[in-house]
Amino acid sequence: MRWSHIKTLFILSFLILNGYLLYQFISNQDEMNIPELDTSSMDLDEELRDEDISISADVDFEVPELSYISSAQKKFTESEISDLNDNKHINAEKSPDSQLLIAAFSSPLKIPDNADEETLSSLVSPYILDSSDFSFGAWDDDLNIIVFFQNKEGNPIYLNRHAMLTFYVNDNNEITHYTQTMLGDTDPQGNPTLNTPKIAISSLLQSRYLNAEDNITDVSYGYYSRIAEAEEGTQVFAPTYKITVNGESDYFVNAAESTTYSGNYRDYLVKMLAGNYLRKLNLMADEDDSMADSLISVIEDKIEPFRSDLE
């Protein structure tokens, strides 16, 4: 074969190879430029049908215009404690750091049978500070503890030990003691674009919190701490959907970032009481505080059966 023919074959081979490599390069670029799936455009209804999950809650309400907010814990004053003690039915004190208020009823406060949220709110409001700033949160049957959440900007702060009323119920369905914490003034921290309730439900589904035959029974919104609760200082709270499943289990979904949290009230309360409240109460008990001693006994009896679950 003559050299000119061999040279021509080499040139043709290189052209073909270059053409193939160019094709591969363009194909790879196209694949790299494929946009990410927009979960907001996914057919949630179809997903839920596939999983046999239903929605009976109203999820078509207008997305709220909420900002992130920041706030530091309030310190109770001697004047506030004095005002509470003017009520002959309770005795009130505050912790050494003034951030935890404790109160004991002179006679246990009887809860009416089949009391609803409105009944409970009316029952306790005469005995607490700033009752209008709190709304019913949950009644944990395992611990027999009722919690109310502090409201900020008209919406509840979910599961935050710095913004909670905690009522301790005995076996006779009577409230014997309560503890109270509060946040101070709030500052707005920007105006994020919030997801719709359906996108929040989709986030819950993707996080595997929903199971076959579940029913979304309620969707509401408030605030949840954006990061782990700080012991001291200012916290930032994010707009958050509370999604109730089967009328009994609550989950929380950050309305801007889609972070999901389980609303296991029992686990949260055990950690809160064991890790924070008891420490403060023990400091009070060291000063021969009989009310603190009494409440320590009540709390220890309630949380002891569940401490091992958290280890």
Side-chain angles (χ1 to χ4, degrees), residues 12-65:
L12 289 173
S13 298
F14 278 120
L15 287 174
I16 293 170
L17 178 61
N18 287 339
Y20 174 75
L21 292 175
L22 178 62
Y23 169 79
Q24 289 293 328
F25 175 77
I26 293 172
S27 297
N28 288 338
Q29 285 295 103
D30 288 342
E31 290 178 5
M32 292 175 63
N33 291 330
I34 293 175
E36 295 183 1
L37 289 174
D38 180 3
T39 56
S40 64
S41 65
M42 295 177 67
D43 187 350
L44 175 62
D45 292 333
E46 184 175 340
E47 279 190 280
L48 295 177
R49 279 196 299 272
D50 290 343
E51 298 292 335
D52 197 19
I53 296 170
S54 58
I55 300 177
S56 59
D58 175 17
V59 294
D60 295 322
F61 57 81
E62 185 176 351
V63 176
E65 294 184 4

Side-chain angles (χ1 to χ4, degrees), residues 117-131:
E117 298 176 12
E118 185 177 348
T119 300
L120 287 171
S121 296
S122 299
L123 178 69
V124 301
S125 62
Y127 309 104
I128 59 176
L129 290 176
D130 300 322
S131 60

Side-chain angles (χ1 to χ4, degrees), residues 14-204:
F14 278 120
L15 287 174
I16 293 170
L17 178 61
N18 287 339
Y20 174 75
L21 292 175
L22 178 62
Y23 169 79
Q24 289 293 328
F25 175 77
I26 293 172
S27 297
N28 288 338
Q29 285 295 103
D30 288 342
E31 290 178 5
M32 292 175 63
N33 291 330
I34 293 175
E36 295 183 1
L37 289 174
D38 180 3
T39 56
S40 64
S41 65
M42 295 177 67
D43 187 350
L44 175 62
D45 292 333
E46 184 175 340
E47 279 190 280
L48 295 177
R49 279 196 299 272
D50 290 343
E51 298 292 335
D52 197 19
I53 296 170
S54 58
I55 300 177
S56 59
D58 175 17
V59 294
D60 295 322
F61 57 81
E62 185 176 351
V63 176
E65 294 184 4
L66 300 178
S67 64
Y68 290 99
I69 57 174
S70 64
S71 183
Q73 190 167 6
K74 167 188 169 61
K75 291 190 175 184
F76 296 103
T77 66
E78 291 291 351
S79 176
E80 289 171 325
I81 300 301
S82 177
D83 288 343
L84 281 175
N85 283 323
D86 286 340
N87 188 322
K88 64 180 182 180
H89 297 291
I90 60 169
N91 297 303
E93 297 176 359
K94 60 188 178 74
S95 61
D97 63 5
S98 300
Q99 294 181 345
L100 177 66
L101 184 156
I102 71 172
F105 285 90
S106 303
S107 297
L109 184 64
K110 179 66 177 178
I111 301 174
D113 293 337
N114 302 315
D116 58 15
E117 298 176 12
E118 185 177 348
T119 300
L120 287 171
S121 296
S122 299
L123 178 69
V124 301
S125 62
Y127 309 104
I128 59 176
L129 290 176
D130 300 322
S131 60
S132 61
D133 289 345
F134 287 84
S135 56
F136 177 83
W139 187 339
D140 185 86
D141 292 329
D142 292 331
L143 296 170
N144 212 5
I145 285 177
I146 302 170
V147 293
F148 281 63
F149 300 140
Q150 186 181 5
N151 298 318
K152 282 297 182 182
E153 307 299 322
N155 299 295
I157 303 285
Y158 298 124
L159 284 181
N160 190 278
R161 68 171 181 263
H162 302 312
M164 189 180 294
L165 261 170
T166 311
F167 295 95
Y168 305 89
V169 184
N170 65 20
D171 293 337
N172 296 319
N173 215 34
E174 301 166 330
I175 299 172
T176 60
H177 300 77
Y178 75 80
T179 52
Q180 184 175 9
T181 57
M182 295 183 69
L183 294 169
D185 294 335
T186 58
D187 292 315
Q189 299 288 322
N191 296 293
T193 300
L194 302 186
N195 294 323
T196 65
K198 279 197 171 183
I199 293 178
I201 293 171
S202 180
S203 299
L204 207 60

